[in-house]
Amino acid sequence: ARQGHAFRDLRLVPRYYIDTSKREQKATLLGQTFSSPFGIAPTGMAGAFRQNAELFLSQAARETNIPYLMSGASNASMEDGFKLAGKNLWYQIYGAKNRSFQLDLVKRAIDLGLTTIAVTCDVPVSSNRERNRRNGFVRPLKMTLPTILEAMLHPAWVINYYRTGGLPMLGNWQRYAAANSTPGEVADLFAKQTPDPSQTWRDLEAIRNAWPGKLLVKGVMHPEDARIAIGMGVDGLLVSNHGARQLDNMPSSLEMLPMIRSAVGPDVPLLLDSGVRRGSDIVAALCMGADFVLTGRATLYGATAGGLEGVKKAVSILQRGI
């Protein structure tokens, strides 16, 4: 509830008699100029909602010139995403118990020529996602009666889901599993490797040393963590409470944003995600100290409902709102 109220409780106070006849939404961030001050946040297992959802997100990112931060739990691989998105593709890394996996993901990002990666720090343990358990969205997947009834209302979706092989592959993790592993076996490997509660600042330092491009830390919510991360040489911070899905007693990222801006000063690039639903939310976040905003659900819903055109429609709705 706190997350949903954060933006709704803000009010934008306009100023008038300013010449706004020539205006644009372009925003420069980490050396790249985008068409708007927002991009696509990482949403894991998007391919389970619609086959190739991450590829639609990748192509839409390039066509609309916004960044797409591909999830570490995506179904498409970063290599396939890069073919469509090019420099508009960023990649999100989760720490792994086998440190060679996370460093190999960094190497793959270097080999592709990605400009930016984000290390997610806010999943030290698997959280108690009560809605997921109630809906059977766990490993292994459980078909609950409400899910079955919902599926019966969408026969075309069900037919396509099974026609394309059911549960899709975690594309970025497939190469770390045994040859010919099933999607379920790769998902089990991912679940065994992440989350890793033993990750510390030293692991972030190792990624910083291995990665020559722009590095973001995603999930920072405490001003002191923000100061430590910037002191280690990261290029920017993504203030995020993981879409309010990780720790139920957390404040919203919008609440913490001004404190983090105060802690790191005016020049550190600050991004924000979680709770962003409308163009006015993006404007509000910029007013509160963000340089850039990511939204996850809006574009995920667009991809699920309408494929590539659905993502582009979602982006255009947000742009029109701004």
Side-chain angles (χ1 to χ4, degrees), residues 15-315:
R15 299 285 302 274
Y16 295 119
Y17 286 127
I18 296 165
D19 184 353
T20 54
S21 59
K22 295 185 178 68
R23 59 190 183 277
E24 60 177 30
Q25 293 186 24
K26 283 182 185 173
T28 300
L29 180 74
L30 303 173
Q32 290 179 271
T33 299
F34 300 107
S35 63
S36 289
F38 70 89
I40 301 172
T43 44
M45 292 288 290
F49 295 88
R50 184 176 183 131
Q51 189 193 24
N52 296 325
E54 287 102 356
L55 299 183
F56 298 137
L57 293 166
S58 297
Q59 188 169 342
R62 174 178 248 166
E63 290 187 17
T64 61
N65 189 30
I66 60 173
Y68 166 38
L69 178 53
M70 176 182 272
S71 170
S74 62
N75 294 118
S77 68
M78 68 170 93
E79 287 81 6
D80 287 342
F82 183 77
K83 287 174 192 169
L84 294 169
K87 300 290 192 200
N88 290 65
L89 188 81
W90 299 349
Y91 185 70
Q92 172 211 17
I93 286 180
Y94 283 113
K97 287 171 183 157
N98 182 339
R99 302 299 198 267
S100 68
F101 290 164
Q102 64 202 46
L103 292 175
D104 188 64
L105 287 162
V106 172
K107 181 180 180 299
R108 287 165 62 185
I110 293 170
D111 291 346
L112 277 177
L114 298 193
T115 63
T116 305
I117 63 172
V119 178
T120 291
C121 66
D122 64 359
V123 188
V125 295
S126 295
S127 61
N128 179 28
R129 296 182 180 178
E130 292 166 344
R131 183 184 296 174
N132 284 9
R133 287 194 289 115
R134 194 166 59 241
N135 292 332
F137 195 67
V138 293
R139 291 285 306 142
L141 287 170
K142 295 184 176 70
M143 296 303 277
T144 62
L145 182 60
T147 303
I148 292 167
L149 293 174
E150 178 73 18
M152 287 170 66
L153 295 172
H154 303 87
W157 186 93
V158 174
I159 290 166
N160 188 59
Y161 178 78
Y162 285 107
R163 186 176 59 79
T164 55
L167 184 74
M169 182 69 73
L170 285 172
N172 286 304
W173 285 79
Q174 186 174 5
R175 68 171 63 184
Y176 307 125
N180 303 316
S181 290
T182 64
E185 288 165 342
V186 175
D188 287 338
L189 169 71
F190 178 76
K192 285 190 181 81
Q193 285 294 321
T194 69
D196 174 21
S198 71
Q199 295 274 324
T200 69
W201 291 109
R202 289 170 66 182
D203 294 292
L204 178 64
E205 193 172 31
I207 291 173
R208 175 69 285 181
N209 290 339
W211 172 248
K214 302 295 186 183
L215 179 65
L216 299 171
V217 177
K218 177 183 184 294
V220 170
M221 288 286 281
H222 195 291
E224 191 54 34
D225 282 350
R227 277 192 284 263
I228 293 169
I230 294 304
M232 293 183 69
V234 306
D235 298 291
L237 303 173
L238 177 45
V239 182
S240 168
N241 70 3
H242 216 96
R245 302 178 72 233
Q246 188 58 24
L247 180 61
D248 57 356
N249 256 5
M250 245 178 171
S252 71
S253 47
L254 191 70
E255 283 176 75
M256 297 308 299
L257 178 64
M259 283 179 261
I260 292 177
R261 171 56 77 198
S262 177
V264 300
D267 300 326
V268 169
L270 282 189
L271 297 82
L272 174 138
D273 74 24
S274 304
V276 177
R277 302 285 186 272
R278 305 176 63 82
S280 56
D281 296 342
I282 295 167
V283 173
L286 299 178
C287 291
M288 296 283 279
D291 296 298
F292 208 82
V293 176
L294 300 184
T295 181
R297 293 181 204 214
T299 43
L300 179 60
Y301 293 164
T304 304
L308 173 62
E309 292 307 313
V311 182
K312 289 160 68 175
K313 178 76 178 286
V315 170

